[in-house]
């Protein structure tokens, strides 16, 4: 399907310079000029009406993220988020799966606070309804088909590209790379899409909720129980030497809550008098905590009664399988004889109260949305919002319900922080994940017929010849990339910076990405043999009309085609939509020089010029590094 062309070879050589992201003039000890920014300034209400829709002071409504829409008095200054089309584009790159032209037209000059609050109120776009669309009827001779198996992927692409609840979807995706469950390993999580679909929906539904409540839902999720092997976890047996499974206990601490070493509130590691880091726990702590998660298993009775897949229900407890021993970990002891539900509650409460949780979670969410190397001040401010459960939007509105772990307050603090809104320094920004590059293209160019069910390529994009990444399909619980990854031999590593996404960036994935985007940008998906495809669908028991495949994921380039007579204007347009004005003058000139070599001697040439311009921008280092 793909081939390496001279253009791809050129792009490969350009893109390999990505491993030097961060700027060659960055000193390892240099300090960002936004480490000590001023407090975010409020913005005026531009909605033209009364925004106080919560006059009774009740801040507990889960549908609006606990927003108290009574603004403070100081509303005289404009926040930079939506001040210009460029700043609007940049904000939306951090908060959504990509800016659309209509978004820039509608939001520029308006209140970013109003947009944020409106997003909190939108109903969630869930995964399970899409899985249900493709679930074979009980009477079907073959209960499984390829599209049913891949229905979670179909749902993700639909929601990420076309969902109106963009803020929720983007936050859920960020959480999915922190609280990892993957259907990459085969067996139940691959063959039963309800498993990962129900887990995805947990993250979507809790994206604006409370992290402590999310942890509990995750703990009882069958997908997590199966993935980290504590589903059906039995208490120890001294006679046989059987010990409780320790996987979840270990990853709950190491990856989901506190990390492995003591942290300062700014996310930096604490050191003892000898300059060594302070480890938080040892194997005895893990052994003690593992006893908590014994006795959890599928809720088979309810599943049978409701006639639904057991993976779609929370796990239940079986007291006879739960360890009655005391459970000591992280400086606390759960008394012997404590039941399974009470043990889980007490354990999660104690872990959640640990001082590492706010900076640990804050830093990783910042990395997923804004920058790989947040300043200590940035981490402190977001961690404080997490701890206090409340923060103030630029228009003076308070969001969050005041409880520790409020994710609405945390998300607002991340997006509206001065470090997020100021132009990134040479130490700022992050590598765009391949998934986000594709969704951004689809949204930027008004892709019609967002029907991933007809795009078999989108059912699994993990291969290096494609995106090298697929949603909810990481190779391990450690995600696609580690938050502390440094690329060997890179300028960023030399300057003491991490670049997590570079862990999946190499010669193969760079070329694969360029070819993958060429396929969609140029509309090659239209060139299908309808009759042959219909035969495949019928053989695989897929109930689709192959004729519709030729109309799937068609991009609209009308605006860009109108600019082909002025290459500078065309590049500026793409710079706005895709890079938020971050294309350097050198990059713009290089792209224009290449475009000028394309002759325009027939009606097809302008479209070819647009295709090439988009591809050149989307494979440039200035684009691949989101700042």
């Amino acid at each position: 399907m793909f081939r390496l062309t001279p253009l791809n070879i050129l792009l490969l050589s350009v893109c390999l310079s990505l491993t030097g992201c961060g700027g060659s003039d960055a000193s390892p000890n240099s300090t960002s000029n936004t480490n000590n920014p001023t407090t975010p300034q409020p913005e005026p209400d531009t909605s033209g009406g009364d925004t106080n829709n919560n006059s009774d002071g009740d801040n507990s409504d889960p549908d609006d993220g606990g927003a108290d829409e009574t603004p403070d008095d100081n509303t005289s200054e404009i926040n930079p988020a939506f001040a210009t089309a460029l700043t609007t584009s940049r904000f939306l790159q951090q908060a959504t799966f990509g800016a659309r032209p209509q978004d820039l037209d509608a939001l520029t000059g308006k209140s970013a606070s109003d947009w944020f609050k409106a997003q909190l109120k939108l109903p969630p776009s869930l995964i399970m309804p899409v899985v249900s669309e493709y679930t074979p009827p009980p009477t079907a001779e073959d209960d499984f088909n390829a599209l049913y198996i891949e229905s979670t992927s179909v749902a993700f692409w639909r929601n990420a590209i076309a969902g109106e609840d963009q803020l929720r979807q983007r936050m859920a995706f960020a959480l999915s790379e922190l609280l990892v469950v993957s259907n990459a390993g085969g067996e139940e999580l691959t063959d039963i899409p309800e498993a990962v679909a129900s887990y995805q929906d947990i993250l979507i539904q809790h994206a604006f909720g409370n992290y402590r409540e999310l942890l509990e839902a995750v703990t009882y999720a069958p997908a997590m129980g199966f993935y980290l092997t504590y589903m059906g976890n039995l208490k120890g047996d001294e006679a046989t030497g059987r010990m409780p499974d320790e996987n979840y206990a270990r990853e709950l601490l190491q990856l989901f809550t506190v990390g492995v070493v003591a942290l300062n509130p700014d996310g930096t590691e604490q050191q003892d008098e000898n300059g060594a880091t302070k480890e938080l726990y040892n194997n005895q702590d893990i052994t003690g905590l593992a006893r908590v998660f014994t006795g959890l298993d599928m809720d088979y009775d309810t599943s049978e009664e409701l006639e639904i897949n057991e993976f779609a229900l929370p796990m239940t407890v079986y007291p006879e399988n739960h360890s009655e021993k005391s459970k000591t970990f992280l400086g606390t002891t759960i008394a012997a004889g404590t039941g399974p539900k009470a043990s889980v509650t007490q354990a999660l409460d104690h872990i959640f109260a640990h001082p590492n949780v706010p900076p640990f979670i804050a830093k990783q969410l910042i990395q997923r949305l804004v920058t790989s190397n947040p300043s200590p001040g940035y981490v402190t401010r977001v961690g404080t919002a997490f701890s206090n459960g409340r923060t103030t939007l630029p228009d003076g509105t308070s969001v969050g319900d005041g409880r520790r772990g409020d994710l609405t307050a945390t998300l607002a603090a991340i997006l509206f922080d001065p470090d997020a809104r100021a132009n990134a320094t040479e130490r700022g920004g992050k590598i765009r994940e391949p998934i986000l590059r594709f969704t951004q293209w689809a949204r930027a160019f008004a892709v019609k017929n967002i029907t991933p069910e007809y795009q078999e390529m989108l059912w699994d994009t993990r291969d290096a010849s494609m995106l090298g990444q697929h949603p909810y399909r990481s190779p391990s619980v450690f995600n696609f990339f580690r938050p502390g990854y440094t690329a060997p031999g890179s300028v960023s590593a030399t300057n003491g910076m991490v670049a997590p996404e570079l862990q999946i960036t190499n010669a193969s994935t760079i070329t694969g990405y360029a070819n993958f985007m060429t396929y969609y940008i140029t509309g090659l998906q239209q060139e299908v043999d309808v009759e042959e495809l219909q035969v495949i669908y019928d053989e695989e028991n897929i109930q689709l009309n192959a004729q519709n495949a030729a109309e799937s994921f068609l991009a609209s380039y009308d605006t860009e085609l109108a600019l082909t007579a002025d290459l500078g204007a065309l590049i500026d347009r793409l710079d706005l939509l895709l890079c938020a004005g971050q294309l350097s003058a050198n990059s713009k000139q290089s792209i224009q020089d290449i475009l000028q070599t394309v002759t325009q001697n027939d009606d097809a040439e302008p479209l070819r010029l647009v295709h090439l311009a988009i591809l050149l921008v989307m494979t440039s280092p200035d684009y691949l590094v989101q700042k």
Side-chain angles (χ1 to χ4, degrees):
M1 181 177 297
F2 299 130
R3 58 193 177 93
L4 190 61
T5 65
L7 171 61
N8 296 147
I9 295 173
L10 170 64
L11 295 173
L12 174 60
S13 64
V14 173
C15 292
L16 282 174
S17 66
L18 178 65
T19 56
C21 73
S24 59
D25 60 343
S27 166
N29 300 315
S30 65
T31 303
S32 166
N33 61 9
T34 55
N35 281 356
N36 297 292
T38 57
T39 302
Q41 293 300 315
E43 62 191 356
D45 173 22
T46 58
S47 62
D50 183 5
T51 60
N52 184 7
N53 298 321
N54 193 18
S55 59
D56 61 0
D58 181 8
N59 301 326
S60 61
D61 183 357
D63 291 334
D64 67 4
D68 178 359
E69 299 192 14
T70 304
D72 295 340
D73 292 335
N74 182 15
T75 58
S76 59
E77 295 190 40
I78 297 176
N79 180 269
F82 288 174
T84 67
L86 289 175
T87 60
T88 303
S89 179
R90 183 169 180 265
F91 181 92
L92 294 177
Q93 288 176 21
Q94 296 168 347
T96 74
F97 280 95
R100 301 177 302 180
Q102 61 264 40
D103 296 330
L104 302 185
D105 293 339
L107 298 176
T108 300
K110 302 295 177 60
S111 166
S113 299
D114 284 351
W115 178 86
F116 186 92
K117 289 180 288 188
Q119 284 285 310
L120 298 180
K121 295 179 179 180
L122 292 175
S125 302
L126 299 176
I127 305 297
M128 194 66 81
V130 179
V131 172
S132 298
E133 280 183 48
Y134 298 106
T135 302
T139 57
E141 293 182 7
D142 185 356
D143 288 339
F144 298 94
N145 62 57
L147 187 52
Y148 166 65
I149 297 300
E150 297 297 343
S151 55
T152 55
S153 300
V154 171
F156 174 85
W157 295 119
R158 280 192 198 175
N159 294 345
I161 297 170
E164 289 301 318
D165 57 330
Q166 280 288 299
L167 184 65
R168 181 186 291 275
Q169 295 296 322
R170 184 67 192 274
M171 180 62 161
F173 182 59
L175 291 168
S176 78
E177 296 186 329
L178 172 61
L179 302 160
V180 175
V181 157
S182 173
N183 57 8
E187 300 181 334
E188 280 87 340
L189 296 189
T190 299
D191 296 336
I192 305 175
E194 288 88 350
V196 171
S198 63
Y199 186 78
Q200 287 176 288
D201 283 349
I202 286 172
L203 302 186
I204 292 169
Q205 290 166 329
H206 287 265
F208 299 153
N210 188 279
Y211 196 72
R212 167 63 181 83
E213 294 168 0
L214 174 57
L215 282 176
E216 183 144 344
V218 163
T219 298
Y220 284 98
M224 181 62 81
F226 184 88
Y227 188 55
L228 290 185
T229 64
Y230 65 100
M231 176 186 288
N233 194 10
L234 301 176
K235 61 186 175 183
D237 186 334
E238 294 179 0
T240 64
R242 183 182 67 214
M243 300 287 289
D245 187 284
E246 296 181 352
N247 268 358
Y248 187 64
R250 182 175 293 104
E251 308 312 349
L252 174 64
L253 295 180
Q254 179 182 351
L255 302 177
F256 302 167
T257 55
V258 298
V260 294
V261 299
L263 300 176
N264 295 307
D266 63 6
T268 58
E269 296 179 353
Q270 292 185 21
Q271 298 180 337
D272 60 22
E273 60 276 8
N274 298 317
T277 56
K278 303 176 183 178
E279 295 187 1
L280 292 177
Y281 45 85
N282 55 34
N283 286 338
Q284 290 181 328
D285 292 289
I286 299 299
T287 298
L289 182 58
R291 293 173 181 168
V292 170
F293 305 109
T294 53
L296 296 177
D297 209 339
M298 293 280 203
D299 190 349
Y300 296 104
D301 291 343
T302 303
S303 171
E304 182 177 355
E305 178 184 345
L306 299 178
E307 297 183 342
I308 59 176
N309 191 291
E310 57 266 25
F311 271 102
L313 295 170
M315 290 189 291
T316 190
V317 297
Y318 295 87
E320 66 274 16
N321 295 331
H322 180 73
S323 176
E324 296 181 350
K325 292 183 177 180
S326 62
K327 308 162 180 76
T328 299
F329 60 94
L330 281 186
T332 192
T333 297
I334 297 174
T338 304
K341 283 190 175 181
S343 290
V344 170
T345 298
Q346 291 180 36
L348 294 181
D349 282 347
H350 181 70
I351 296 168
F352 183 64
H354 194 280
N356 261 38
V357 174
F360 185 78
I361 301 303
K363 185 172 183 178
Q364 292 198 62
L365 289 178
I366 293 170
Q367 287 183 307
R368 299 281 48 81
L369 299 171
V370 177
T371 179
S372 296
N373 297 275
S375 69
Y378 191 2
V379 174
T380 299
R381 292 187 293 274
V382 174
T384 298
F386 182 97
S387 297
N388 293 342
R390 189 176 291 279
T391 196
T392 302
L393 297 180
D395 71 350
T397 299
S398 177
V399 292
D401 62 9
R403 293 184 299 151
R404 178 185 176 91
D406 187 280
L407 291 176
T408 298
T410 304
L411 180 56
I414 291 171
L415 295 176
F416 290 105
D417 191 88
D419 276 22
R421 301 282 42 90
N423 291 330
T425 66
E426 68 275 5
R427 297 181 65 85
K430 63 188 291 291
I431 308 300
R432 293 183 202 270
E433 296 178 53
I435 288 171
L436 298 178
R437 301 174 207 164
F438 177 72
T439 60
Q440 187 185 23
W441 165 79
R443 288 176 61 78
F445 300 106
V447 164
K448 301 173 183 177
N449 300 314
I450 301 169
T451 49
E453 57 267 35
Y454 290 103
Q455 296 295 313
E456 190 172 351
M457 282 177 56
L458 296 180
W459 298 359
D460 193 343
T461 55
R462 282 177 297 167
D463 195 89
S465 65
M466 296 199 222
L467 290 178
Q469 184 189 26
H470 189 79
Y472 291 88
R473 206 161 289 176
S474 72
S476 76
V477 72
F478 295 97
N479 191 26
F480 305 100
F481 33 73
R482 293 182 288 105
Y485 178 78
T486 57
S490 66
V491 175
S492 55
T494 300
N495 287 295
M497 298 163 62
V498 302
E501 295 84 357
L502 284 184
Q503 193 167 0
I504 59 171
T505 306
N506 52 53
S508 296
T509 59
I510 289 172
T511 307
Y513 162 70
N515 284 325
F516 183 91
M517 291 309 304
T518 299
Y519 180 81
Y520 279 101
I521 290 170
T522 60
L524 290 176
Q525 71 273 22
Q526 302 171 60
E527 300 177 10
V528 297
D529 186 322
V530 173
E531 293 183 0
E532 180 181 339
L533 186 60
Q534 191 64 61
V535 170
I536 295 174
Y537 284 167
D538 293 341
E539 288 177 347
E540 297 188 5
N541 195 29
I542 299 175
Q543 304 301 312
L544 291 177
N545 179 358
Q547 186 66 45
N548 294 332
E551 302 171 355
S552 179
F553 276 79
L554 297 182
S556 173
Y557 300 126
D558 292 345
T559 302
E560 289 71 35
L561 284 169
L563 298 174
T564 52
D566 184 345
L567 294 181
L570 173 61
I571 295 170
D572 285 344
R573 165 76 175 177
L574 299 180
D575 186 19
L576 168 64
L577 282 178
L578 300 172
C579 304
Q582 293 164 192
L583 276 180
S584 67
N586 287 340
S587 293
K588 286 185 175 182
Q589 188 60 55
S590 295
I591 292 171
Q592 184 163 331
D593 290 345
I594 295 173
L595 294 179
Q596 285 174 338
T597 67
V598 179
T599 58
Q600 301 184 52
N601 54 13
D602 60 59
D603 293 339
E605 290 303 333
L607 183 58
R608 180 185 172 202
L609 196 69
V610 169
H611 290 163
L612 181 57
I614 295 171
L615 185 61
L616 287 170
V617 169
M618 294 193 71
T619 51
S620 69
D622 288 350
Y623 169 76
L624 294 175
V625 180
Q626 172 191 306
K627 285 197 171 184

